Amino acid sequence: MYRPGRHFLQIPGPTNVPDRILRAIDRPTIDHRGPEFAELGKACLEGMKTVYQTRNPVLIYPASGTGGWDAALTNTLSPDDKVLAFDTGQFAALWAKAARNLGLNVDFVESDWRAGIDIGKLGERLGGDRNHEIKAVLVVHSETSTGVANDIPAVRRAIDDAKHPALLMVDTVSSLAAMDYRHDEWGVDVAIGGSQKGLMLPPGLGFNAVSQKALAASKTAKMPRSFFRWDDMLEQNANGFFPYTPATNLLFGLRESLEMLAEEGLPNVFCRHQRFAEATRRAVATWGLEIVPLDAARCSSALTAVLVPDGFNEAAVRAVMLQKFNLSLGAGLGKLAGRVFRIGHLGSLNELMLAGTLCGVEMGLELAGVPHRKGGVQAALAYLTEQAR
Amino acid sequence: MYRPGRHFLQIPGPTNVPDRILRAIDRPTIDHRGPEFAELGKACLEGMKTVYQTRNPVLIYPASGTGGWDAALTNTLSPDDKVLAFDTGQFAALWAKAARNLGLNVDFVESDWRAGIDIGKLGERLGGDRNHEIKAVLVVHSETSTGVANDIPAVRRAIDDAKHPALLMVDTVSSLAAMDYRHDEWGVDVAIGGSQKGLMLPPGLGFNAVSQKALAASKTAKMPRSFFRWDDMLEQNANGFFPYTPATNLLFGLRESLEMLAEEGLPNVFCRHQRFAEATRRAVATWGLEIVPLDAARCSSALTAVLVPDGFNEAAVRAVMLQKFNLSLGAGLGKLAGRVFRIGHLGSLNELMLAGTLCGVEMGLELAGVPHRKGGVQAALAYLTEQAR
Amino acid sequence: MYRPGRHFLQIPGPTNVPDRILRAIDRPTIDHRGPEFAELGKACLEGMKTVYQTRNPVLIYPASGTGGWDAALTNTLSPDDKVLAFDTGQFAALWAKAARNLGLNVDFVESDWRAGIDIGKLGERLGGDRNHEIKAVLVVHSETSTGVANDIPAVRRAIDDAKHPALLMVDTVSSLAAMDYRHDEWGVDVAIGGSQKGLMLPPGLGFNAVSQKALAASKTAKMPRSFFRWDDMLEQNANGFFPYTPATNLLFGLRESLEMLAEEGLPNVFCRHQRFAEATRRAVATWGLEIVPLDAARCSSALTAVLVPDGFNEAAVRAVMLQKFNLSLGAGLGKLAGRVFRIGHLGSLNELMLAGTLCGVEMGLELAGVPHRKGGVQAALAYLTEQAR
Amino acid sequence: MYRPGRHFLQIPGPTNVPDRILRAIDRPTIDHRGPEFAELGKACLEGMKTVYQTRNPVLIYPASGTGGWDAALTNTLSPDDKVLAFDTGQFAALWAKAARNLGLNVDFVESDWRAGIDIGKLGERLGGDRNHEIKAVLVVHSETSTGVANDIPAVRRAIDDAKHPALLMVDTVSSLAAMDYRHDEWGVDVAIGGSQKGLMLPPGLGFNAVSQKALAASKTAKMPRSFFRWDDMLEQNANGFFPYTPATNLLFGLRESLEMLAEEGLPNVFCRHQRFAEATRRAVATWGLEIVPLDAARCSSALTAVLVPDGFNEAAVRAVMLQKFNLSLGAGLGKLAGRVFRIGHLGSLNELMLAGTLCGVEMGLELAGVPHRKGGVQAALAYLTEQAR
């Protein structure tokens, strides 16, 4: 049934896929063992290094970002290994669950979802681990359920300060190509990503960026693994190929995405995301609503999670926005279900799309009867205008 | 060079082509003499009758709407015939020029571009034409350069009141599928349309809706014509075909467009356009700017033409909006060049796209230094919210 | 209803539109008055000069090739002017009819459809025209109904030998970008083309390539014209724009087509078409069927028209091929209706597509009961193999 | 660099993706938690049951078919479990390797790649397994490296005859939607599939069809698993959703594929594949070349693997075909590398595409200097013509 105009897909991923990328995907599939594919494969593999700001390999799986969790854990660890994780949000929790499912021993540290990782607690935990039983520390860069961004360099420093050999694994699913992420400089060992966020692609590709230390660990890691094996993948990647049939058409899209990011320039991409996040927060503040992150310095640029007042269910509020204004926002997840809606402002987005989104939220709040002050949009426009000078 | 997000194409046509239509066009061309084509042709020819609210044939040309002017004039008139037209805007003027180029004798009545056709003057002119030298009256329904809508039923009544046999020809280029247009009920003899406005298609198709009286006139009309001949076209159309190669892929798009309009329902389409026009006018009024139409009752639902204050050039204002916010508005045309920008709000548009557009205008006015009151967007949102209840 | 695999569209136009072009067309329409459009317009206008091998302007209309006939005639001639044309095929006949419809005085010379223009007769006609009443000579380069190619340089010589000032107009609809056509070198004054043949686009664009002599003629030509006026068009084209809304999305496709032709190289394009035409003729000869052209040196590279034996109707033969093998061939046209089917082998075609087509014809002849020798495909393959060494 | 015409992608998968499917994929990604997605999810999940001819659930992973191996094994088995597999081809071998990588104890029975599974040996093995240590039997339905089809009902009978409780797992990657496969009737416990073969999609989706017995086994299976867990998947699938972001755009394509298969009718699809396989074998036999399968009754309908004569390397032969005729065939794999090329004839294919392919092979053999008799194409055409009556 036709609804006029475009849907506003403002969940924190999948994000709006630009026409250039959709059209790139809309091409006949090619022989994944032929010379034309080799060029495609190399362009994607090289380009992903740029996005991850790394000189080490990036692995590309025909899988969702979730599959990247499996890959990271099974390639580097052994059964019953202890890993340290923090209950900082729904995706942190799901990753910890994945680790348990895979047979790891997860020390899941209670945390405040609104605050993110407590670096002090992390240091304590590591300091207390005299025998270095902890083999990996799992951290989510931008927690998609809360909009809190964890400070990866600070995590790294804590590990270094404790002189602890644990691998540092970072989920970059909603931060990659939206927020500055420096794999090598920050000393991350394995980063996990997906295609459907800052990379502006449909879902279906999962990534692992690695370090030399992680690669070394994979030589002795004993967890069973087949589909997600790094070794077979890296061997074939050397020539631009993959050990099994890759998601060719999504790779067509990835190559286009990498070109687009290069055209805009990664620093500009990051600034744009910061600008839109700030504009959104100003709107929310003007409405008199509260965002989930307690610390303004730890807000993700990818999304803003907004608390609805007591007595309201975010699901009902979002339903109004979808029905009346063809606007999709993210639901509250896990323990925030019913209490939070999430505005995605990452990916292929510009000022007017963001403005339209905020207009939809402001009108939706009104229609849903959520008490709020007017003027949120106005505040966002004032900021965006100033920034555009 | 990649610019993030989507362009806001808010000129009064070509309008935003929905993905469904673009994808329909993105299909292998078929044999225009084969059975599959016959079905396509029939669906398009029948569907266009619905849009024109007529039982008479609608002719579909592989041409722009401008070509429809040629078709209307050359099929019904003879060299040196007198036609009556009114200087009510740039497109009225261009149509009159086309008539002169084709060898007709145009009585071009001076008019106020901000007021549209003076029905009284029309009556006088026809009343004074005792010998019925005037063979046709040319009227633009929605004048795309001014945003003034002429009252077609009133024009018809004036002709009837004068008992004048002249053909009534109406340019529906920017009104078709955006504003209620009733070809048969209103007694129009030839209507001219194009694909790139309310029909949401790329440009490249021109239309003529006709009456039995117009068809009769075409039997004796002596103007030379070949490409635009109705007779060859109607003969082939009877079986769903065309006398020469039609613009097949645009017809794929037209069939899709007709289905989409049927899904939304034409009355809903018209209401939506009225709603967006009213929201836009409220924004403009709040900004303290003036619109071109002097009579609120004669505003087009397709676009709103806004006067910039003295001392400002609309071209500079629009350039700011394009550069800073990826927003295209229509330029001032003809005698309004430099003085007017035009906001298109027709075609595949929804509340949030309109809101984003108005946000872009409000921010652009600020950046371009055009004096205005804030709150235009706010006023539009208030109206749209009320309407959405 | 899904039919597996791809349709074989082997009519002599519209031709198979390559994916690259379809995807280029499948892009949001842009503002036809904005800076991005200007680049598009210039690229198309310049590129068309290369294809026409001319330094003079090429006009691009949102119209079919048929519209190009109107444009050529109305811009250069005056009412009742005499033009010389030859009854060499269906399209020659339709063009002559168009000229009559437009009010010209056509001397339509009886000719043999299987032989093309009789250069001797042309010389006589011109020689006998002492008062230079003939203002234009109309010739079809590749006659799409017969597959006969006329010798344009010989026509030019005949006109020059007669020291006759008539304009030379050439229909290049099915030859452009399929056969070598040298507008300036051959001294043609107006060439007419369309998008849906060698240019590999969907139908919807018509062309006029002109000479300085033709441009000069247009200053004094008195035929009424509006939509097809060269002067308005050339004025706007100077900046990459058009006087009215152009068929933007087809221009996206045209730019892509021009790039593709440049990548392959026009000489290679012409050789490829010759090769495929020869392979087709060898298949037909082996089948023991007759082609329409009597003179092997005058065969078009764009298509091959094949006579069916007495007692058979080509429509029935083609219907079998369409139904059983999803293959569309061209029908017999005009006086060849029922007697000829036409194999299009122009545009985006390669050896295996041609081979598949010929296989379909061979199997179709068998199923339709048309007496023929086996081995046509084999003969074509032998030739193609030899050529591929 | 533009190569005219279409590439002939005749590897045994990925297969030619029809335009309808590519265009379905080329749509804006939607919210994977919204109501529109639920309909998509349900349509895909239900439709896959039809294709698998099962009433039990089919799981759809954002992964390649290879991932389906992991899913099948890890959901049903426990570490060190014994599984029985047969060295019948490269994919059988890779699957066995995957099982070993995942920590299973593989009894890999030596076999003849040209003969497929020896049912007698299977019976012996099972009969000798008194303690029922064998927990699963792994069989490839259509071995993509050899073109041999194993007889799944016979395998089932052997297991039943031995009264053995082992799970029967079948790789249907290249048979699904190309050859008749009856999951429930044949009593298969887990079937593995991928999107890029008979389903005519790009790669990126993996499938598991299950039985109640397999589901029961999954309750007690102890192999670590997270991404590929059935339980989370089935829970969410109940409402049309997925536990993590699915490959939405490929699901758009899958829905379209399922509709196309329903339009053609699965029995017609299977017959068509048989017909094309037989035509191919007749061509090969006429050329005097040998196919890999020793038993004519055990040929796959999806592909034909052809042995090149001693002294020739298939890679060189294929390179000629690719370079000269834009034709991709499958390489020899594993122990057949260098000795075999594989003609894929599955998916969206029709008579003329197959004919074009065989023409390419025949011409390629000639150019590569491979000794062969002429007339292979002719033999295929004779058969196809007969079948088309």
Side-chain angles (χ1 to χ4, degrees), chain A residues 74-75 77 218 221-227 229, chain D residues 70 101-102:
Chain A
T74 59
N75 276 287
L77 302 171
S218 74
K222 295 197 172 54
M223 292 193 72
R225 56 188 177 273
S226 173
F227 180 71
R229 291 185 78 84
Chain D
D70 281 48
N101 278 335
L102 292 169

Side-chain angles (χ1 to χ4, degrees), chain B residues 55-352:
Chain B
R55 295 186 191 176
N56 290 305
V58 177
L59 294 106
I60 304 176
Y61 293 102
S64 70
T66 307
W69 288 342
D70 282 48
L73 299 170
T74 59
N75 275 288
T76 56
L77 302 171
S78 297
D80 287 320
D81 271 358
K82 190 172 178 179
V83 301
L84 185 63
F86 298 82
D87 184 12
T88 53
Q90 179 69 0
F91 291 95
L94 287 172
W95 191 9
K97 185 182 161 200
R100 278 189 298 268
N101 278 337
L102 292 169
L104 294 167
N105 175 6
V106 184
D107 182 4
F108 196 50
V109 185
E110 202 175 318
S111 308
D112 183 345
W113 278 31
R114 300 187 63 182
I117 286 187
D118 181 330
I119 300 289
K121 262 194 199 168
L122 165 64
E124 279 172 34
R125 229 43 169 232
L126 293 173
D129 179 38
R130 299 287 156 81
N131 298 331
H132 293 170
E133 288 178 3
I134 295 170
K135 300 303 180 194
V137 178
L138 316 188
V139 183
V140 176
H141 187 197
S142 162
E143 171 58 57
T144 315
S145 63
T146 64
V148 174
N150 285 306
D151 182 347
I152 307 303
V155 169
R156 177 75 264 170
R157 278 194 303 275
I159 299 174
D160 289 348
D161 290 349
K163 298 191 166 41
H164 199 289
L167 294 166
L168 172 55
M169 299 193 185
V170 177
D171 176 311
T172 65
V173 171
S174 72
S175 60
L176 189 69
M179 301 170 65
D180 198 5
Y181 173 80
R182 307 177 183 202
H183 191 71
D184 288 359
E185 184 183 324
W186 292 355
V188 179
D189 293 303
V190 193
I192 293 93
S195 53
Q196 77 276 19
K197 309 270 177 169
L199 289 175
M200 312 174 287
L201 287 163
L205 296 179
F207 307 106
N208 270 187
V210 300
S211 69
Q212 289 301 319
K213 185 173 163 186
L215 288 173
S218 75
K219 310 290 185 197
T220 55
K222 296 197 171 54
M223 291 191 74
R225 57 188 177 274
S226 174
F227 179 72
F228 288 116
R229 292 187 77 84
W230 286 351
D231 52 4
D232 293 349
M233 193 68 100
L234 292 173
E235 192 187 320
Q236 293 276 331
N237 284 177
N239 299 312
F241 293 110
F242 290 82
Y244 42 77
T245 318
T248 308
N249 290 49
L250 292 176
L251 295 178
F252 288 149
L254 178 57
R255 179 169 54 184
E256 194 75 26
S257 160
L258 293 167
E259 283 174 16
M260 290 162 76
L261 290 170
E263 287 172 20
E264 186 177 359
L266 273 184
N268 296 328
V269 171
F270 301 145
C271 282
R272 174 165 58 84
H273 280 81
Q274 285 175 336
R275 197 161 67 241
F276 292 174
E278 176 63 23
T280 303
R281 291 189 295 265
R282 292 194 180 200
V284 175
T286 304
W287 291 325
L289 299 178
E290 206 176 337
I291 61 174
V292 171
L294 294 172
D295 179 355
R298 300 254 50 84
C299 288
S300 168
S301 295
L303 75 144
T304 298
V306 180
L307 287 154
V308 292
D310 287 343
F312 289 89
N313 189 317
E314 50 85 11
V317 176
R318 287 186 303 106
V320 165
M321 295 173 186
L322 178 57
Q323 192 200 327
K324 296 290 186 182
F325 302 118
N326 212 355
L327 168 65
S328 289
L329 299 184
L333 296 178
K335 61 173 79 162
L336 295 178
R339 297 173 49 210
V340 155
F341 63 80
R342 297 171 297 139
I343 305 171
H345 35 64
L346 78 164
S348 181
L349 202 70
N350 58 24
E351 280 79 1
L352 300 195

Side-chain angles (χ1 to χ4, degrees), chain C residues 184-199:
Chain C
D184 288 0
E185 185 183 324
W186 293 354
V188 180
D189 293 303
V190 193
I192 293 94
S195 52
Q196 77 277 18
K197 309 269 177 169
L199 289 174

Side-chain angles (χ1 to χ4, degrees), chain A residues 4 8 33 40 82 173 202 220 246 288 293 299 342:
Chain A
F8 274 63
R33 300 289 179 198
L40 170 68
K82 188 170 179 180
V173 171
T220 55
C299 288
R342 296 171 298 138

Side-chain angles (χ1 to χ4, degrees), chain C residues 247-315:
Chain C
T248 308
N249 289 49
L250 292 177
L251 295 177
F252 288 148
L254 178 57
R255 178 170 54 185
E256 194 75 25
S257 159
L258 293 167
E259 283 174 16
M260 291 161 76
L261 290 171
E263 288 172 19
E264 187 178 359
L266 273 183
N268 295 327
V269 171
F270 302 146
C271 283
R272 174 166 56 86
H273 281 81
Q274 285 175 337
R275 199 162 64 239
F276 292 174
E278 176 63 24
T280 303
R281 289 189 296 265
R282 292 193 180 202
V284 176
T286 305
W287 291 326
L289 298 178
E290 206 175 339
I291 62 174
V292 171
L294 294 172
D295 179 356
R298 300 253 51 84
C299 288
S300 169
S301 296
L303 75 143
T304 299
V306 181
L307 288 154
V308 292
D310 286 344
F312 290 89
N313 188 318
E314 51 86 10

